[in-house]
């Protein structure tokens, strides 16, 4: 649905987006993450047609955003960090204004204006404030109105930029549930600094730093990008001795420990996989073949915050190493000449300092 190919955006000598490529499939919810100044907003502004790229290509459902911006924009609903609201309008006036602005028609939507707006208001739960002035609404309701305007016209792609900034915990949960529901009928890109949101609603995570993609993985597999092992608590039905022998003999498992306690016929174990290995499917089938029932599996270890920091830090180190020119060590005669020059300089400075000290002593005696 969304395809970005070798996208580059330069602001003078500053490269904000540096040759990035990724795709978003239809019906997928993708979290787009990165520290401040990483290039997230620039990428989204190019994707929505607000900015042009220096080079590369961005397309929506096969429509190039630069060659056919109107056609591409018809497929996009966008909620920027500050919702584009007219505070003196009522919700009803504003949504009708957006409906006209987008050029919506009954023949393309398959429903009347009233039915279309009513359905959207039901989806984002703003029917009870439909006739109120936007200025009088709480921040949570304003965010909902902003989401509503993005949904008008049934766009195939919806882009959210920090949709829960400034909301209270209850409102955040409501917006998360709303975004998760939208993923059933739309392709969604969610850009946010709140990593719990991404983990709660996104199918895949793309991390950008200093204009480059540093991670692009399914949410459940994102820890693999840091190359660390993964730990699991298991509950397995079967004789302890046989279960331990199976676990310790499996390729890809580096550590096995029997834990205290039991749950009926199930006993508890902790395993650690080798770095970069996803052991879950292999483990399931191995236990099934041995007729040991796996009745519980809990992933332990790194949180998304840990992974995010680790990935960004790794990219920073690589950037510094790539930017720093390697110093050539002098050899042979060249090294001897440098050492001789340094020694002569040190000797000259020492003689000069002794002469100045002697002169000072003479002046003091006089």
């Amino acid at each position: 649905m969304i395809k970005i190919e070798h996208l580059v955006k330069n602001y003078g000598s500053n490269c904000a987006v540096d040759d990035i490529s990724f795709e978003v499939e239809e019906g997928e919810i993708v979290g787009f993450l990165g520290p401040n100044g990483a290039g997230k907003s620039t990428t989204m502004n190019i994707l929505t047609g607000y900015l042009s790229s220096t080079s590369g290509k961005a397309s929506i459902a096969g429509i190039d955003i630069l060659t056919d911006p109107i056609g591409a924009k018809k497929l996009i609903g966008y909620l920027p960090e500050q919702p584009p609201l007219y505070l003196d309008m009522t919700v009803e006036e504003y949504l009708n204004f957006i409906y006209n602005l987008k050029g919506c028609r009954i023949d393309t939507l398959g429903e009347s204006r009233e039915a279309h707006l009513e359905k959207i208001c039901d989806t984002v739960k703003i029917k009870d404030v439909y006739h109120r002035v936007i200025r009088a609404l709480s921040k949570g309701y304003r965010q909902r109105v902003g989401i509503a305007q993005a949904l008008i016209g049934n766009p195939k792609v919806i882009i959210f930029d920090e949709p829960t900034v400034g909301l209270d915990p209850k409102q955040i949960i409501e917006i998360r549930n709303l975004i998760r529901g939208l993923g059933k009928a739309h392709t969604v890109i969610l850009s946010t600094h709140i990593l719990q949101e991404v983990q709660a609603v996104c199918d895949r995570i793309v991390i950008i730093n200093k204009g480059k993609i540093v991670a692009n993985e399914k949410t459940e597999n994102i820890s693999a990008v840091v190359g660390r092992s993964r730990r699991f608590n298991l509950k397995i039905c079967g004789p302890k001795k046989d279960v331990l022998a199976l676990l310790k003999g499996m390729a890809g498992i580096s550590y096995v420990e029997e834990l205290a306690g039991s749950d009926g016929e199930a006993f508890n174990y902790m395993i650690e996989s080798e770095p970069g290995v996803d052991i879950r499917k292999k483990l399931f089938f191995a236990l099934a073949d041995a007729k040991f029932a796996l009745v519980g599996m809990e992933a332990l270890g790194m949180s998304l915050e840990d992974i995010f920091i680790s990935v960004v830090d790794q990219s920073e180190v690589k950037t510094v190493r790539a930017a720093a020119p390697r110093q050539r060590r002098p050899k042979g005669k060249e090294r001897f000449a440098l050492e001789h020059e340094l020694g002569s300089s040190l000797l000259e400075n020492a003689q000069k300092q002794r002469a100045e000290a002697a002169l000072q002593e003479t002046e003091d005696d006089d």
Side-chain angles (χ1 to χ4, degrees):
M1 178 58 67
I2 301 172
K3 191 171 185 179
I4 291 177
E5 303 173 84
H6 303 291
L7 201 65
V8 176
K9 178 62 179 178
N10 295 324
Y11 294 101
S13 60
N14 179 44
C15 184
V17 177
D18 188 3
D19 192 22
I20 68 170
S21 300
F22 67 92
E23 296 184 31
V24 182
E25 301 297 331
E26 185 173 357
E28 194 174 25
I29 304 178
V30 171
F32 193 42
L33 308 179
N36 291 329
K40 301 190 306 296
S41 294
T42 298
T43 302
M44 289 189 293
N45 284 334
I46 293 172
L47 196 57
T48 55
Y50 182 72
L51 288 176
S52 61
S53 60
T54 302
S55 63
K57 182 179 179 181
S59 58
I60 309 293
I63 302 175
D64 192 304
I65 192 69
L66 288 181
T67 58
D68 186 8
I70 300 300
K73 288 176 183 179
K74 287 180 179 179
L75 303 176
I76 300 173
Y78 181 40
L79 176 66
E81 186 173 347
Q82 297 295 329
L85 306 177
Y86 291 96
L87 302 182
D88 293 329
M89 289 183 174
T90 65
V91 175
E92 178 184 15
E93 292 169 340
Y94 175 71
L95 295 183
N96 276 278
F97 168 71
I98 297 297
Y99 185 97
N100 294 332
L101 194 65
K102 290 188 174 183
C104 299
R105 300 197 310 269
I106 295 177
D107 56 335
T108 56
L109 293 177
E111 58 188 353
S112 67
R113 175 195 296 253
E114 291 74 19
H116 182 60
L117 294 182
E118 183 178 359
K119 184 170 70 175
I120 289 173
C121 289
D122 276 337
T123 300
V124 300
K125 295 180 174 56
I126 56 172
K127 290 186 71 174
D128 53 336
V129 297
Y130 191 59
H131 299 291
R132 291 180 60 182
V133 176
I134 295 174
R135 185 184 300 279
L137 300 181
S138 67
K139 179 147 180 87
Y141 271 115
R142 292 188 191 185
Q143 286 292 95
R144 290 177 181 275
V145 175
I147 294 173
Q149 65 81 27
L151 296 179
I152 290 176
N154 286 334
K156 293 184 177 180
V157 173
I158 303 174
I159 300 175
F160 293 120
D161 189 0
E162 302 288 354
T164 60
V165 169
L167 302 186
D168 64 40
K170 182 175 182 294
Q171 293 168 336
I172 289 174
I173 293 172
E174 291 173 348
I175 296 297
R176 284 181 191 172
N177 292 336
L178 174 58
I179 294 172
R180 190 185 294 113
L182 292 175
K184 298 175 182 178
H186 305 269
T187 300
V188 179
I189 292 182
L190 171 63
S191 176
T192 179
H193 285 95
I194 304 175
L195 301 186
Q196 293 93 332
E197 287 180 8
V198 175
Q199 210 156 18
V201 305
C202 293
D203 304 310
R204 187 156 54 90
I205 297 173
V206 176
I207 302 177
I208 185 173
N209 187 38
K210 293 193 173 180
K212 289 183 176 292
I213 299 293
V214 295
N216 183 358
E217 289 287 342
K218 292 286 187 180
T219 304
E220 64 268 23
N221 298 329
I222 191 64
S223 62
V225 302
V226 299
R228 298 189 184 180
S229 59
R230 299 185 66 185
R231 293 181 297 148
F232 298 92
N233 276 350
L234 309 176
K235 288 186 178 181
I236 303 172
C237 295
K240 289 183 182 180
K241 181 179 177 181
D242 296 334
V243 172
L244 284 170
L246 184 150
L247 294 175
K248 291 178 178 179
M250 278 190 65
I253 295 181
S254 59
Y255 179 79
V256 179
E257 180 183 346
E258 179 188 350
L259 301 178
S262 63
D263 183 5
E265 297 179 355
F267 297 95
N268 299 320
Y269 307 87
M270 192 276 283
I271 66 168
E272 187 171 307
S273 67
E274 294 177 354
V277 174
D278 187 348
I279 200 67
R280 292 171 297 176
K281 288 184 180 179
K282 185 178 178 180
L283 175 66
F284 174 84
F285 288 117
L287 291 170
D289 290 341
K291 300 189 183 307
F292 298 148
L294 177 63
V295 297
M297 175 182 284
E298 178 187 6
L300 305 173
M302 299 180 73
S303 66
L304 183 55
E305 286 87 348
D306 296 329
I307 295 165
F308 176 80
I309 292 170
S310 178
V311 168
V312 170
D313 286 348
Q314 286 176 16
S315 68
E316 296 277 1
V317 171
K318 290 178 182 177
T319 301
V320 170
R321 286 177 178 170
R326 203 167 184 177
Q327 299 294 325
R328 183 176 62 86
R329 296 182 66 182
K331 297 181 180 179
K333 293 181 179 180
E334 183 182 1
R335 181 176 179 180
F336 175 79
L338 287 171
E339 290 175 347
H340 180 72
E341 181 181 351
L342 178 59
S344 298
S345 175
L346 291 172
L347 179 60
E348 182 181 345
N349 287 336
Q351 290 173 340
K352 185 178 179 181
Q353 289 175 4
R354 282 198 295 268
E356 290 175 350
L359 179 61
Q360 183 66 43
E361 288 178 2
T362 303
E363 292 176 350
D364 291 342
D365 291 340
D366 292 344

